[in-house]
Amino acid sequence: MKTFRLIASTVLFLALVTGIFATVLYFKGNMEKKELTDNDRKGTSGQYIKLSLGITHYELDGPDTGKVVILVHGFSVPYYIWDGTYQYLVKQGFRVLRYDMYGRGYSDRPDVIYNEELYETQLADLIKQLHLKTPVNLAGVSFGGGVVTNFTCKHPDLVNKVILIDPVYPFAAPSAPEFYTLFNEATHGDDRANSQLSDFKYPEKHPDWVSKYRIQMQYKGFRNAIVSTRYNYNYNGRQSYTGLNNTHKPVLLIWGMDDHTVPFQYSDSVRSVLKTDFFPIDDAAHLPHIEQADKVNAKILEFLKQ
């Protein structure tokens, strides 16, 4: 009996110490200290619109008569990932929209499941409520490539052409339980922010990239959004790109040859099921539209004008 009590006491003590340690780690590492409010949005660039699932931060410019191009960002970097391309296309006379997905940037972080339907609804709401002339041209980078692919498959009548830049291919849920991944994100926020530089071949050329990324991490709901997306956005690359091929839309596929985030060899996998205008970019990693902006923007313009 004494031995049993000793073991039980030891287990209880270790559980208590572990709990205290985990709590300290959580509060020390947790960056989400603030609720995102209208006051936080004052002075920011772009505009805001109330959609069916919350407020969305967006920017829309270019002549009303211009062909519409919608730029969809990747998994967690907000719409500033499109800065150069957005400005270039506006100057070329296109009507260009970019926006922050729910949970990112200055858009709302609704407490919902972040699945395909959520992202599809946000994009469809924007097209409808901003009275955009359809069919639109869609461009997606990384995870955004998956979003525009699924959207086009479901709403082919709303889409004219599709541009994919280093698009997501494998996108499986983590093997660990969701609560563990949430805790890990809370205690390793610095790692997530700093890891964004791995998308570049020459990270030293982008000294403010991490600090810009951290801004969104201070608002509650960011962590839940990205973790929920990982576990609930069901994406099968081969199946989705096969579906896109069946819509018979013109597709431009751009890929940085030094990409380690979504490795370049996946371009072969995509092209095995999807007919594309393929444009590999030398001396660029996961974000070739930034690292080789002149080449990529010129190609996008040529594709859109064809």
Side-chain angles (χ1 to χ4, degrees):
M1 181 64 83
K2 288 183 178 180
T3 301
F4 176 77
R5 288 177 178 172
L6 179 61
I7 293 173
S9 297
T10 301
V11 170
L12 183 62
F13 174 75
L14 290 175
L16 180 62
V17 170
T18 301
I20 292 173
F21 181 67
T23 301
V24 171
L25 279 180
Y26 178 86
F27 284 103
K28 183 178 179 181
N30 180 34
M31 294 183 181
E32 296 187 8
K33 308 292 187 183
K34 301 172 62 178
E35 297 285 351
L36 180 59
T37 67
D38 290 342
N39 207 43
D40 295 300
R41 291 169 170 142
K42 287 180 179 178
T44 59
S45 62
Q47 301 91 37
Y48 293 88
I49 187 171
K50 183 70 162 57
L51 303 179
S52 61
L53 295 172
I55 294 172
T56 290
H57 178 220
Y58 74 97
E59 189 169 14
L60 177 64
D61 203 355
D64 292 338
T65 56
K67 294 180 180 179
V68 176
V69 182
I70 301 178
L71 307 175
V72 183
H73 66 71
F75 182 68
S76 65
V77 179
Y79 80 34
Y80 61 74
I81 201 171
W82 285 112
D83 279 354
T85 302
Y86 176 83
Q87 293 155 8
Y88 175 83
L89 291 176
V90 168
K91 289 179 180 177
Q92 295 296 326
F94 291 91
R95 184 76 167 156
V96 190
L97 169 69
R98 59 175 172 167
Y99 66 98
D100 291 339
M101 294 182 192
Y102 289 127
R104 286 79 164 174
Y106 287 103
S107 286
D108 275 354
R109 288 109 159 84
D111 187 15
V112 297
I113 294 174
Y114 284 71
N115 55 18
E116 302 97 303
E117 184 179 356
L118 177 82
Y119 295 99
E120 175 202 325
T121 299
Q122 185 182 25
L123 181 49
D125 283 352
L126 281 166
I127 292 172
K128 182 178 180 180
Q129 293 196 35
L130 293 174
H131 306 290
L132 299 179
K133 184 171 56 179
T134 57
V136 302
N137 300 290
L138 294 178
V141 58
S142 193
F143 175 74
V147 172
V148 303
T149 293
N150 283 347
F151 186 89
T152 303
C153 290
K154 192 156 187 181
H155 303 280
D157 55 316
L158 296 180
V159 181
N160 179 35
K161 295 181 178 181
V162 177
I163 300 167
L164 303 174
I165 300 180
D166 295 56
V168 62
Y169 192 82
F171 194 76
S175 57
E178 190 168 346
F179 75 85
Y180 173 83
T181 304
L182 279 165
F183 179 79
N184 190 61
E185 287 286 345
T187 56
H188 293 80
D190 282 337
D191 292 345
R192 168 161 290 284
N194 292 328
S195 70
Q196 302 308 309
L197 287 174
S198 66
D199 287 341
F200 295 105
K201 182 174 182 179
Y202 303 104
E204 67 277 4
K205 295 183 179 181
H206 308 276
D208 63 339
W209 197 252
V210 172
S211 60
K212 287 180 69 174
Y213 185 89
R214 285 176 179 273
I215 294 173
Q216 66 180 340
M217 298 181 74
Q218 67 185 309
Y219 299 115
K220 295 177 181 179
F222 169 76
R223 180 169 61 247
N224 176 68
I226 61 174
V227 172
S228 180
T229 302
R230 287 294 309 276
Y231 283 86
N232 296 291
Y233 195 101
N234 298 313
Y235 194 76
N236 181 307
R238 187 173 185 83
Q239 179 179 315
S240 294
Y241 295 122
T242 299
L244 179 59
N245 191 65
N246 292 337
T247 66
H248 306 292
K249 303 295 181 184
V251 177
L252 171 61
L253 178 64
I254 299 170
W255 217 300
M257 297 178 69
D258 296 307
D259 189 354
H260 297 292
T261 305
V262 185
F264 181 73
Q265 57 262 35
Y266 280 117
S267 63
D268 293 334
S269 301
V270 174
R271 292 187 298 128
S272 70
V273 296
L274 175 62
K275 181 181 179 181
T276 72
D277 178 353
F278 184 46
F279 193 59
I281 302 295
D282 190 22
D283 206 29
H286 189 54
L287 304 176
H289 66 294
I290 296 177
E291 293 198 286
Q292 297 292 340
D294 290 345
K295 292 180 182 178
V296 172
N297 288 339
K299 180 62 179 180
I300 289 175
L301 179 63
E302 174 191 311
F303 175 73
L304 290 173
K305 286 189 170 183
Q306 286 173 351

